[in-house]
Amino acid sequence: MTVDDHDAVPAADWAAHDGVPLLRTLATALLVLEAQTGLDSFTLPYPAEAQRALDRTVLACLLRGARPPAGLTELVDRCRTEPLEDWPLSLPADLVEPGDRLLDEISGRPTELCHEWAGRSPDSAAVFRDREVVLAALRLCREYGEEEAYTAFRGLLVHRPVLTAAEMYEVTGDMVLEPVHELIRRIYKPVPESYLRDGAYTACERCLTLLTPVGAGEWWCERDRCRRQGTPPPGRRITWDGTLAVSQLERPLRQFVTGPGRAEADLERELLALGLQVRMWPGYDAYDLQVVFPDGWRWAVDVKDWAHPTFLGRSARPVPQDPPYDEAFWSVPVHRVVARPGYVAAFERARPASADDLPLLTDVELVTRAKRRLRTCKGDRRA
């Protein structure tokens, strides 16, 4: 994930499809409701975004002869129980797959797809929040002339999405991170008590974000990738005494920085294991990984952990030329392609002409290609 990940390519054809702006409005409203009141109880007056979503959904239903939701509670329930393909919406091809929902069936929390829809909503107050934060960090680190500070900041967001009060004190005392100390204080928020179970917060062992208690002793992880690997494994347990705050990154940053960052770290580890040189976020995050082969050949890799291939395709653009490289790729975790048949083809259909030669590979394909090139470097004729 790089700083321009959410610069969508304008597409006039979408303006003709009433379902697109309505889904954007719905997704934005759900995120606002979750942040302001939670998604299990509402009081009048509703937040403006929620009222707008309700009004527009009612109108869409009436225009198509479908039964409209009786109120906001029913609308939220539909977002959890009804797949988007069953809604009375007119949508372009490739936008909705069977089972797509804005709220998770089990936890009732917004899905990653919901965050992607809201992240592209022009009337959302939360538009591009993650990009705003990353750009602020870039500006501050450049002013200090400290690329190392920016790399450490990105590493913090990827590897430490949850901080205790003592850890926050340690981080904001780290002189390497000095240019972004105040920014860090602003983007880590107190964790709601809804994450508590038996007096403690529990992080996912795989993705490091906090788990949500559901059912009888069960857990729900907010990351699609983690849930598809099976039951989320409880990891770090943080006891809460009711006084000292436990903080976590804002959800837009967990969604669009921590999540892809975990995929970037996994790819870095696999490439390093092959004996390749790997530099993370070079040139103040011009792209995600610079990979150098023994013969000096350089790859530039941008990792895109997006649920929706059409959104990803619409955002495609050439990889910046500085730091210089010989080949450039976008890479997506293989679980995205497995979960959504036709992922790469949908990406390519949505990709603008300016990025026609930008290849999208799964992480597995990228590592396989790296192994093949290494054999070529070593003169192995089997390559």
Side-chain angles (χ1 to χ4, degrees):
M1 176 238 160
T2 51
V3 294
D4 295 321
D5 268 2
H6 304 300
D7 286 348
V9 176
D13 58 318
W14 275 28
H17 297 273
D18 59 292
V20 170
L22 178 54
L23 280 184
R24 286 173 166 169
T25 302
L26 275 168
T28 301
L30 292 170
L31 299 190
V32 169
L33 283 171
E34 183 190 40
Q36 292 187 7
T37 66
L39 288 168
D40 53 1
S41 62
F42 315 107
T43 56
L44 291 169
Y46 300 147
E49 290 86 350
Q51 187 64 59
R52 181 163 58 247
L54 177 59
D55 293 343
R56 292 181 182 179
T57 303
V58 168
L59 179 59
C61 290
L62 292 174
L63 289 173
R64 289 166 180 75
R67 185 179 67 83
L72 190 58
T73 300
E74 185 177 336
L75 176 61
V76 170
D77 188 60
R78 285 191 186 185
C79 291
R80 181 180 62 83
T81 60
E82 295 184 14
L84 292 175
E85 62 180 343
D86 295 339
W87 286 59
L89 301 174
S90 174
L91 294 166
D94 294 333
L95 282 194
V96 173
E97 290 286 334
D100 282 354
R101 288 177 172 82
L102 294 178
L103 295 180
D104 182 76
E105 282 186 283
I106 297 173
S107 69
R109 292 185 181 271
T111 60
E112 291 189 7
L113 195 62
C114 180
H115 280 270
E116 290 186 8
W117 273 103
R120 288 143 188 84
S121 174
D123 56 356
S124 167
V127 167
F128 306 156
R129 170 60 177 170
D130 58 299
R131 187 170 184 267
E132 290 173 352
V133 169
V134 170
L135 285 174
L138 280 169
R139 177 180 57 79
L140 291 166
C141 293
R142 280 183 171 134
E143 286 176 358
Y144 275 72
E146 295 285 352
E147 185 174 351
E148 183 184 359
Y150 178 77
T151 302
F153 174 77
R154 285 297 299 273
L156 175 71
L157 272 53
V158 170
H159 299 292
R160 303 180 73 178
V162 181
L163 296 175
T164 64
E167 289 167 343
M168 176 63 79
Y169 181 80
E170 169 203 334
V171 166
T172 53
D174 185 337
M175 296 312 296
V176 173
L177 290 165
E178 183 179 8
V180 288
H181 280 169
E182 183 57 33
L183 184 61
I184 290 170
R185 293 187 186 96
R186 291 176 180 273
I187 62 177
Y188 279 83
K189 306 292 188 182
V191 179
E193 292 185 22
S194 58
Y195 285 89
L196 281 171
R197 170 175 280 164
D198 298 330
Y201 297 105
T202 301
C204 177
E205 189 174 70
R206 282 195 289 254
C207 66
L208 309 182
T209 57
L210 290 177
L211 295 172
T212 300
V214 293
E218 298 178 349
W219 299 101
W220 179 81
C221 181
E222 66 188 23
R223 299 299 301 167
D224 289 351
R225 180 179 191 174
C226 192
R227 295 197 304 278
R228 290 192 179 108
Q229 289 178 267
T231 302
R236 179 189 184 197
R237 193 170 183 272
I238 304 170
T239 302
W240 186 59
D241 63 3
T243 56
L244 295 177
V246 175
S247 303
Q248 66 177 343
L249 279 173
E250 299 173 355
R251 180 60 196 264
L253 291 166
R254 303 199 309 272
Q255 174 70 28
F256 295 115
V257 181
T258 305
R262 300 299 300 165
E264 293 161 10
D266 290 345
L267 191 55
E268 176 195 27
R269 184 173 59 253
E270 290 194 62
L271 294 170
L272 286 172
L274 297 179
L276 296 169
Q277 297 178 38
V278 182
R279 181 183 172 197
M280 298 295 287
W281 310 299
Y284 288 100
D285 202 15
Y287 42 85
D288 293 327
L289 296 89
Q290 182 187 72
V291 185
V292 183
F293 287 83
D295 62 355
W297 193 263
R298 294 172 184 264
W299 282 0
V301 181
D302 256 345
V303 178
K304 310 295 181 183
D305 190 7
W306 289 21
H308 209 300
T310 299
F311 291 152
L312 182 58
R314 284 163 54 84
S315 73
R317 79 276 181 209
V319 176
Q321 293 287 336
D322 188 25
Y325 54 83
D326 299 291
E327 288 184 274
F329 308 93
W330 274 16
S331 176
V332 63
V334 70
H335 77 94
R336 295 294 187 193
V337 176
V338 171
R340 207 174 187 98
Y343 188 105
V344 175
F347 165 84
E348 291 173 346
R349 284 192 294 271
R351 184 178 53 190
S354 61
D356 269 352
D357 59 350
L358 177 68
L360 178 68
L361 306 178
T362 69
D363 48 4
V364 173
E365 291 169 336
L366 189 79
V367 172
T368 299
R369 185 173 293 205
K371 290 177 180 177
R372 190 162 58 241
R373 194 173 194 293
L374 269 174
R375 290 197 296 270
T376 301
C377 291
K378 297 174 181 178
D380 189 336
R381 294 184 179 181
R382 293 174 300 172

